[in-house]
Amino acid sequence: MSKIAFVERPRYTCASGGAVATVTAIPGAIPILHSAQGCAGNFAWTQNGGAGLQVGGYCGSLTVPSSNVQERDVVFGGVDRLRQQIANTVEVMDGELYVVLTSCVTEVIGDDAAPVVEEFREQGTPIAFAETAGFKGNAYTGYDLVLQSLFRQVVERGVSKQKGKVNLWGIPPYQDVFWRGNIEELRRLLESLGLTVNSFFTDRDSVAAIRQAASAELNIVVSDVYGVQAAALFEERHGVPFLKTALPVGPGATDDFLLRVGERLALDRGVVDQVIRAERRHYYRTLEPLTDCYNDMDLQRYAVVVGDGNYAPALARFLADDLGWLPELVVVTDRFNEQEQGDVASRLQGFASGLAPHLVFESDGRQIISHFNRLWPPNQNQKYYNAFSPAFVLGSSLERELAATLAAGHLSVSFPVANRAVLDRGYTGYRGGLRLTEDLLSAIVAGR
Amino acid sequence: MYFSQKEPPRREERLGACIALRDTVCGFAKKKGCRFDDGEREFRQGSICLMLPALAILNTIPDSVVLIHGANGCGSCIHSQNANARSGSAQRTGKAKDALWLSTALNETDVISGGEEKLTAAIAEADRRYRPKTIFVVSTCVPGIIGDDIDGVAAQLQEKVTARIVPIHCQGFKTKIWATAYDAVYHGIVRQLFEGRDESKASALPGVDESRREVEAERRKKTVNLMNVSSMGRVDEIELERLLRALGLEVNIFPVFSEPDSMVKMTQAALSISTCPTHDDYILKHLNETYGVPYQIEHMPIGIENTNRWLRNIAAFFHLEDAAERIIEQEERELRQALAELTPFFAGKTVFLSAGEFRALATANLLAELGFAVRGIRSFHHDEFAEGEYAKLARQAKDDFIINIANVQPFEEANLLKRLQPDLFLGHANGNMTASKLGIPAHVIYNTGLSYVGYRGAYELARRLRRLLRNPAFHANLARHVRLPYRDQWYAADPFRYIRTQGGHGHE
């Protein structure tokens, strides 16, 4: 990680916030924050502003139980307050699983949540905990840490393996604003291969199914980074191997995804091909009537793609290989180490279209324009200038100023998404490719 | 006296503010002047800390950078506050501008070895990269515990950077009363943006002649400081400016969206006027003691009678009573005519409110004026400034009703709402979901895009409530299909069973 003085407008909240969002998304789960009083509100406001108008769920936002430690607890320790908070939470809140999540303050003062949680577990309370201090990392880290806790403390050991059963993760709830739709589409596709899927966060998932997760044959992680540590832990602890893939957006990437899953599980190639054929037929039959307007309105675009480690490469590939646009610059806003950077960079190689977009890792969105100017020489008052036009910026809502500068269309996909309402829309898979096509072109023709 | 310290005092000490009480409006009205025995909850839900309202103000200051010194998540709330920064700047300048905030993103190593070095580098780089007029350095819980000296770092660096560095202390664990946020922001502004400025430079253009100076002095006699709040949008400012201008006054608006260079003008006005007494006493007393600017800190101009009182107070200061009465008479007449078609729909309907203390109480007054019966109020904290407000409500209430002091705590709210079954709920942003899921039509009690304040606000709020009550299907459908995360037994329990006061269980 390059040594930089600050993170400009971080496109995430901290580990603690990512953890709360993750627990909130598990059906029937109740997070218990062991933190100062402001953390829950900070996370609620974050989702309010960045998660496509989605805040919390069954037990999110300001409903989240929290120890609200004060100065006194900072001086004398907050463990007694935590014990009291857990006991009363179980009394008031109706949950199938309680997950205690620690924070900066309670970890700095050295509160040890483990023995307290253990007391309740011994009494039969379904409870787990994760140490998710904000200084341990960002929301993606928090997601990974919660998964690790589930795999250590909730997933039962020694269950027998079940053929055709898989766990799916790598899409952090709320931090990936399109999490619900993204997971549902991949679930649908995996089921169409005849697999049984545990995906943790949809309303077809449950705490009971999470407990049985170790019976899976394979864990599928649709991310190079998010949830990968948890996958390694799962393998070590429960003996289930994992497959790491790109976030599959659109037909090209999804073909690859299904083929790789099929290979790893030694599925009948004929079955996989049949699914791919049917999905492709549906995709292109649906796209077909757009052809006239796509041509007549000249809807091909140059593009700048800005996003996190999941979205930036996935969206670039969709634009280049499926939609036939020209993504020239791809900006990954996460602060990754070299290994992670390498993994993400490899996703931008070998595009079927032959395009090789320029990739930069840059956490300061205000610097993107300088990267762009270095890549695409400005008009030196030439009569004939090969302009970056017509253009489109596919990023977060923080890229609106960049889009205005480039006189480009704009769509928010990667966090923060302040200017769209998102419920179960998703961009993964074949259906997601259609959604993304709709949304990109709608943004262009909005003033028509 | 406070301003010589690095940090403002906690409101718990300075004002005896509290967050966990139960009583009724008549009970509260009688308790004038005594300090309450604040309670503690043994079950708690998360809320906000002083950092959030502080950032809500700081993000609006033009040409500034907000540098949050903490782990990488502190201040991510700005993603929603940014919407206000954008719309607010669009309304005031014609251009939507994103806020600019940064995080020092302290990691585990920094927690052990201290964050001052990182902060120093961040300030220098922010100054170089963005060239702001002001860098607000907001310290959070972690630097507060590990002992980073943000004031020391700022003082050391000030010579080396172009921007004015303004330390703002927001250690969330230190105070339960998030209204301390306003003190924290004002403390920083006073220490860094008022003090040490050459008055003549701030107040007059170089080379200005004598006659111009006289005009300027004359103008100041008629200029008032109008204290705005981040929960109040431009639409509400325009309403208050309209009324003050009708009295022949000039208006400085401060602090939200005010230019750092012109903040010093605050020290030269004839009078400072609060729009939310919870907000402003700390700085108004300072402006009075240090610069001789008198102030008025009574009434929030929400509700017809409240607006009248607010305006009369100001007019009395300038000896403009007759003008005020003329304005009030005309405003009231026009407003009541306009309301006539709406109020019949409100008669006998019951309402429950929950928000910051002043906002909740003033809005309750307005709803009573519109014909609603107030069933209960939850104020997010309590301090002395609101004492008169409870008396006002007690006077007009047909039946006594519940007052609950709570820093949000929706579990208590769910229990109360199930019992009281009001027809309408008005709550703070992110505080309306409980009512909605119980099928109670909910309306947000503040939103910077909507009008609430003054005579116009009374009409616009009534119009919105009529619209809501005409079709509350959204809320009714939710209640049929989703449930709140509380056990069934909870609704049968005493809603205040988890409040412990020093005198034991409950609050008599």
Side-chain angles (χ1 to χ4, degrees):
Chain A
M1 200 178 304
S2 60
K3 205 168 153 45
I4 54 169
F6 51 71
V7 185
E8 186 257 13
R9 293 187 288 201
R11 294 158 186 248
Y12 37 73
T13 186
C14 62
S16 200
V20 170
T22 304
V23 174
T24 298
I26 298 169
I30 306 268
I32 302 175
L33 260 173
H34 186 35
S35 72
Q37 66 181 25
C39 297
N42 184 49
F43 307 149
W45 264 245
T46 305
Q47 290 185 5
N48 179 313
L53 314 192
Q54 309 166 77
V55 184
Y58 176 66
C59 183
S61 187
L62 303 183
T63 306
V64 169
S66 171
S67 59
N68 297 0
V69 291
Q70 298 162 25
E71 196 152 28
R72 193 179 47 240
D73 307 303
V74 168
V75 176
F76 298 109
V79 170
D80 291 344
R81 171 80 271 273
L82 175 63
R83 185 178 292 108
Q84 180 187 59
Q85 180 65 32
I86 297 172
N88 291 332
T89 299
V90 174
E91 216 169 74
V92 175
M93 312 294 286
D94 190 2
E96 288 171 60
L97 176 68
Y98 301 87
V99 186
V100 173
L101 303 166
T102 56
S103 65
C104 289
V105 170
T106 54
E107 288 193 39
V108 169
I109 63 175
D111 280 359
D112 189 358
V116 185
V117 169
E118 196 48 44
E119 289 168 30
F120 287 92
R121 199 200 306 272
E122 280 167 7
Q123 297 162 19
T125 306
I127 189 165
F129 77 98
E131 290 177 337
T132 51
F135 53 76
K136 286 203 164 109
N138 60 19
Y140 300 102
T141 312
Y143 169 71
D144 207 313
L145 290 168
V146 167
L147 289 175
Q148 289 178 42
S149 291
L150 295 177
F151 302 162
R152 262 199 203 97
Q153 302 165 43
V154 178
V155 173
E156 288 168 17
R157 300 186 78 163
V159 294
S160 52
K161 298 282 174 272
Q162 209 181 309
K163 189 119 189 69
K165 194 176 160 200
V166 295
N167 299 309
L168 170 74
W169 71 84
I171 295 171
Y174 298 99
Q175 181 57 42
D176 178 345
V177 178
F178 299 88
W179 61 281
R180 194 182 294 276
N182 281 348
I183 297 172
E184 282 171 352
E185 168 71 352
L186 296 180
R187 204 188 153 102
R188 181 185 73 82
L189 290 166
L190 293 170
E191 284 173 343
S192 70
L193 294 177
L195 302 171
T196 307
V197 185
N198 163 43
S199 55
F200 300 85
F201 306 113
T202 72
D203 53 16
R204 292 177 56 210
D205 292 297
S206 66
V207 172
I210 292 172
R211 290 190 199 287
Q212 296 302 309
S215 60
E217 210 183 333
L218 179 69
N219 292 328
I220 301 166
V221 185
V222 287
S223 176
D224 285 306
V225 185
Y226 317 138
V228 172
Q229 281 182 2
L233 180 137
F234 200 117
E235 180 162 34
E236 188 187 328
R237 193 174 165 86
H238 302 287
V240 179
F242 66 96
L243 166 68
K244 209 171 71 158
T245 78
L247 182 75
V249 172
T254 310
D255 289 353
D256 286 356
F257 171 76
L258 293 174
L259 288 168
R260 290 197 58 202
V261 170
E263 258 166 52
R264 276 299 290 271
L265 291 168
L267 302 178
D268 180 340
R269 179 66 196 252
V271 172
V272 179
D273 285 346
Q274 202 180 349
V275 168
I276 290 175
R277 263 200 309 278
E279 291 291 338
R280 279 204 163 247
R281 188 171 59 239
H282 174 265
Y283 183 93
Y284 283 100
R285 278 190 182 176
T286 310
L287 187 71
E288 190 178 8
L290 189 83
T291 313
D292 254 355
C293 288
Y294 186 88
N295 292 330
D296 298 353
M297 295 164 74
D298 186 26
L299 292 176
Q300 189 192 38
R301 292 289 179 270
Y302 292 101
V304 175
V305 177
V306 182
D308 68 10
N310 270 9
Y311 271 122
L315 296 173
R317 179 173 177 182
F318 170 81
L319 294 185
D321 290 359
D322 294 323
L323 194 58
W325 282 15
L326 300 153
E328 300 289 349
L329 174 64
V330 176
V331 181
V332 175
T333 47
D334 287 296
R335 298 168 70 204
F336 283 150
N337 62 34
E338 270 179 38
Q339 152 98 46
E340 292 162 336
Q341 289 193 3
D343 286 350
V344 170
S346 69
R347 299 285 177 202
L348 289 169
Q349 283 154 11
F351 280 7
S353 55
L355 298 182
H358 182 75
L359 168 69
V360 290
F361 290 88
E362 172 61 79
S363 66
D364 184 343
R366 307 242 313 192
Q367 303 305 305
I368 294 172
I369 191 69
S370 343
H371 292 289
F372 174 82
N373 289 338
R374 278 193 292 276
L375 182 74
W376 198 278
N379 187 356
Q380 310 284 0
N381 213 5
Q382 297 125 283
K383 181 174 178 187
Y384 296 106
Y385 169 60
N386 184 9
F388 189 77
S389 169
F392 201 95
V393 174
L394 187 48
S396 77
S397 47
L398 292 176
E399 271 65 60
R400 280 176 284 183
E401 285 180 12
L402 173 70
T405 307
L406 297 174
H410 171 265
L411 183 71
S412 305
V413 173
S414 190
F415 192 97
V417 175
N419 58 341
R420 301 182 62 188
V422 180
L423 294 169
D424 63 349
R425 199 168 199 72
Y427 292 132
T428 56
Y430 300 91
R431 305 267 167 103
L434 293 172
R435 292 296 78 74
L436 188 50
T437 306
E438 279 177 349
D439 294 345
L440 290 166
L441 302 186
S442 293
I444 294 172
V445 303
R448 198 178 180 215
Chain B
M1 60 166 194
Y2 295 126
F3 287 87
S4 57
Q5 308 292 316
K6 284 180 180 173
E7 289 185 57
R10 297 164 4 127
R11 285 199 173 198
E12 288 93 324
E13 275 85 47
R14 190 171 71 81
L15 300 170
C18 46
I19 59 158
L21 297 170
R22 52 177 291 192
D23 208 325
T24 68
V25 73
C26 294
F28 253 93
K30 286 194 208 99
K31 280 189 186 162
K32 271 184 112 70
C34 65
R35 293 216 164 184
F36 290 82
D37 173 14
D38 192 18
E40 287 283 8
R41 284 177 177 81
E42 296 188 339
F43 171 70
R44 298 174 197 165
Q45 288 164 305
S47 58
I48 64 171
C49 65
L50 77 164
M51 183 188 67
L52 275 76
L55 292 174
I57 299 171
L58 298 176
N59 281 310
T60 67
I61 308 299
D63 305 316
S64 68
V65 167
V66 176
L67 173 59
I68 296 146
H69 187 42
N72 62 26
C74 275
S76 57
C77 55
I78 304 177
H79 283 295
S80 72
Q81 296 169 343
N82 187 44
N84 186 47
R86 287 174 61 85
S87 62
S89 60
Q91 285 154 0
R92 290 166 179 87
T93 68
K95 192 171 181 299
K97 218 169 161 318
D98 284 303
L100 179 52
W101 71 98
L102 316 167
S103 167
T104 52
L106 298 177
N107 59 27
E108 282 182 278
T109 315
D110 303 319
V111 169
I112 295 158
S113 56
E116 290 182 16
E117 200 180 320
K118 215 171 196 175
L119 177 62
T120 305
I123 294 171
E125 179 62 19
D127 187 65
R128 191 191 66 80
R129 201 180 282 193
Y130 308 113
R131 293 284 165 214
K133 281 184 185 161
T134 318
I135 298 174
F136 293 106
V137 176
V138 179
S139 88
T140 60
C141 288
V142 168
I145 297 174
I146 64 176
D148 284 356
D149 177 9
I150 63 165
D151 298 88
V153 169
Q156 266 188 329
L157 264 180
Q158 187 57 78
E159 293 289 284
K160 303 190 184 91
V161 298
T162 323
R164 190 80 190 179
I165 308 169
V166 183
I168 308 279
H169 290 269
C170 292
Q171 293 88 8
F173 68 89
K174 281 194 178 175
T175 175
K176 295 183 290 185
I177 312 294
W178 61 66
T180 303
Y182 313 127
D183 306 353
V185 168
Y186 289 144
H187 194 84
I189 286 176
V190 164
R191 277 167 60 96
Q192 302 302 329
L193 299 174
F194 281 9
E195 320 277 293
R197 294 220 159 204
D198 183 346
E199 284 248 350
S200 61
K201 250 194 271 181
S203 60
L205 297 166
V208 92
D209 59 22
E210 207 52 39
S211 67
R212 279 282 299 279
R213 210 162 291 174
E214 272 171 43
V215 171
E216 184 64 16
E218 205 49 41
R219 200 179 64 80
R220 283 183 195 173
K221 286 185 204 161
K222 287 278 185 204
T223 298
V224 296
N225 294 325
L226 178 66
M227 310 299 288
N228 63 358
V229 293
S230 62
S231 58
M232 199 170 89
R234 182 64 191 140
V235 57
D236 283 340
E237 284 175 12
I238 288 169
E239 170 70 355
L240 296 178
E241 279 180 339
R242 178 180 76 85
L243 297 170
L244 295 171
R245 291 213 172 107
L247 283 174
L249 301 173
E250 303 242 0
V251 186
N252 278 335
I253 296 187
F254 178 84
V256 182
F257 286 103
S258 68
E259 290 281 346
D261 283 348
S262 63
M263 283 183 181
V264 73
K265 284 202 309 211
M266 301 291 299
T267 61
Q268 302 151 4
L271 176 70
S272 301
I273 304 160
S274 176
T275 52
C276 173
T278 295
H279 221 270
D280 302 323
D281 81 293
Y282 190 68
I283 192 167
L284 295 187
K285 286 171 185 158
H286 175 78
L287 280 168
N288 188 26
E289 286 163 14
T290 310
Y291 301 97
V293 182
Y295 62 90
Q296 292 184 345
I297 186 159
E298 207 191 351
H299 313 301
M300 188 173 200
I302 290 181
I304 305 168
E305 198 48 46
N306 275 336
T307 304
N308 295 348
R309 289 182 180 118
W310 185 82
L311 207 54
R312 282 189 179 116
N313 273 1
I314 298 162
F317 178 88
F318 291 101
H319 309 296
L320 298 166
E321 288 89 344
D322 294 350
E325 292 310 319
R326 277 197 303 277
I327 294 167
I328 289 168
E329 193 276 326
Q330 184 189 339
E331 291 290 338
E332 274 219 50
R333 188 162 27 86
E334 290 174 343
L335 174 61
R336 291 193 190 279
Q337 271 171 356
L339 285 173
E341 64 167 336
L342 299 170
T343 44
F345 299 105
F346 305 148
K349 290 250 192 305
T350 57
V351 63
F352 193 104
L353 300 96
S354 169
E357 186 166 45
F358 243 91
R359 178 69 73 156
L361 299 173
T363 310
N365 241 315
L366 169 55
L367 292 176
E369 289 170 328
L370 295 175
F372 288 93
V374 179
R375 268 290 165 83
I377 297 176
R378 304 183 86 227
S379 301
F380 286 168
H381 81 288
H382 174 63
D383 62 34
E384 63 193 50
F385 299 105
E387 280 168 4
E389 301 303 304
Y390 291 101
K392 283 181 201 170
L393 284 166
R395 272 200 301 277
Q396 58 78 19
K398 277 203 279 294
D399 304 308
D400 202 3
F401 58 81
I402 196 152
I403 298 284
N404 172 211
I405 306 299
N407 53 345
V408 196
Q409 306 307 323
F411 76 104
E412 284 175 7
E413 193 156 85
N415 183 311
L416 286 168
L417 292 175
K418 270 263 213 226
R419 282 162 206 273
L420 297 170
Q421 296 290 333
D423 299 310
L424 174 70
F425 180 90
L426 269 82
H428 190 274
N430 284 94
N432 289 293
M433 136 197 331
T434 302
S436 258
K437 290 181 185 176
L438 291 170
I440 301 160
H443 183 68
V444 67
I445 207 164
Y446 75 85
N447 173 315
T448 56
L450 301 173
S451 162
Y452 291 89
V453 160
Y455 305 105
R456 167 153 300 278
Y459 178 72
E460 291 299 333
L461 180 64
R463 220 167 58 79
R464 294 196 300 269
L465 295 179
R466 168 69 185 126
R467 161 159 61 82
L468 174 64
L469 295 171
R470 271 185 72 197
N471 189 0
F474 181 87
H475 312 269
N477 290 334
L478 267 183
R480 272 197 289 274
H481 299 285
V482 302
R483 58 182 294 260
L484 290 166
Y486 308 110
R487 293 191 188 280
D488 294 342
Q489 303 89 290
W490 169 240
Y491 297 106
D494 169 8
F496 306 117
R497 68 174 294 194
Y498 291 103
I499 296 182
R500 296 281 183 279
T501 50
Q502 285 157 0
H505 188 177
H507 191 82
E508 299 312 322

